[in-house]
Amino acid sequence: MQNGATIAVYPGTFDPITLGHLDIIRRGAKLVDRLVIGVATNPSKTPMFSLDERVEQVRRETADIHGQIEVVAFDSLLMKFAESQKANMILRGLRAVSDFEYEFQMAGMNQKLNANIETVFLMADVALQPIASRLVKEIAMFGGDIDSFVPPRIARDVAARVADGINEKS
């Protein structure tokens, strides 16, 4: 802990960042002295955007949020990353019971790895609970409207990537 400061890591792949993510970031930033948004690589997922693109998108979309917010890419065990950031908290968002089951298990494992870092859960805003990056990408790939799930610039980024993918396949 830095001088008694509360430092939280909010990890995710953010592929793409959604209005739900931004809600958790806005609310989480009010609770801590420093919020580190950890943009992760995830070998079990095939991202639409590269790690560098996702970091830039998250930086762009969080630039106007009040608070000390940093966006950092990481490719390591979450607890090692949290330790490197001198974090004392992991911030996670919950949308549904299925999220809780997974997050409960992860929080238990993380506590075993470092009992000095607490996991704190924020419930997603009711209006944003159905939003998931995976579903946003799927809707976009089938030509659906994603404007109510992501910020306008992200919607344009996704549309451009989908168009590029379609052009590459033709």
Side-chain angles (χ1 to χ4, degrees), residues 20-112:
H21 292 131
L22 291 168
D23 174 58
I24 298 297
I25 291 165
R26 273 187 203 90
R27 292 168 46 216
K30 294 176 187 175
L31 301 175
V32 298
D33 298 307
R34 182 172 142 238
L35 179 61
V36 179
I37 303 168
V39 182
T41 58
N42 187 334
S44 67
K45 295 182 178 180
T46 305
M48 177 176 272
F49 297 99
S50 72
L51 182 61
D52 288 342
E53 288 171 321
R54 290 181 281 131
V55 166
E56 178 52 37
Q57 289 171 336
V58 174
R59 283 186 180 141
R60 182 182 74 200
E61 297 302 327
T62 60
D64 294 333
I65 296 176
H66 181 73
Q68 186 179 347
I69 297 174
E70 295 175 50
V71 182
V72 180
F74 78 101
D75 185 14
S76 65
L77 195 60
L78 172 58
M79 295 311 276
K80 293 291 182 197
F81 175 67
E83 290 165 0
S84 77
Q85 298 298 312
K86 298 182 176 25
N88 44 23
M89 181 189 303
I90 303 295
L91 180 63
R92 299 294 291 164
L94 294 175
R95 293 173 300 194
V97 172
S98 57
D99 282 350
F100 178 79
E101 292 170 358
Y102 171 78
E103 294 293 347
F104 181 78
Q105 184 177 24
M106 290 300 297
M109 294 296 287
N110 287 336
Q111 186 178 36
K112 291 288 187 192

Side-chain angles (χ1 to χ4, degrees), residues 70-162:
E70 295 175 50
V71 182
V72 180
F74 78 101
D75 185 14
S76 65
L77 195 60
L78 172 58
M79 295 311 276
K80 293 291 182 197
F81 175 67
E83 290 165 0
S84 77
Q85 298 298 312
K86 298 182 176 25
N88 44 23
M89 181 189 303
I90 303 295
L91 180 63
R92 299 294 291 164
L94 294 175
R95 293 173 300 194
V97 172
S98 57
D99 282 350
F100 178 79
E101 292 170 358
Y102 171 78
E103 294 293 347
F104 181 78
Q105 184 177 24
M106 290 300 297
M109 294 296 287
N110 287 336
Q111 186 178 36
K112 291 288 187 192
L113 294 171
N114 186 332
N116 295 317
I117 301 176
E118 291 293 336
T119 300
V120 175
F121 299 105
L122 290 179
M123 296 300 299
D125 181 286
V126 174
L128 303 173
Q129 285 179 358
I131 302 173
S133 293
R134 176 183 55 81
L135 297 176
V136 167
K137 290 185 287 191
E138 192 172 312
I139 290 165
M141 286 191 259
F142 284 99
D145 181 3
I146 61 170
D147 290 348
S148 60
F149 307 125
V150 295
R153 291 176 291 190
I154 296 297
R156 288 191 294 274
D157 291 346
V158 171
R161 186 55 46 95
V162 169

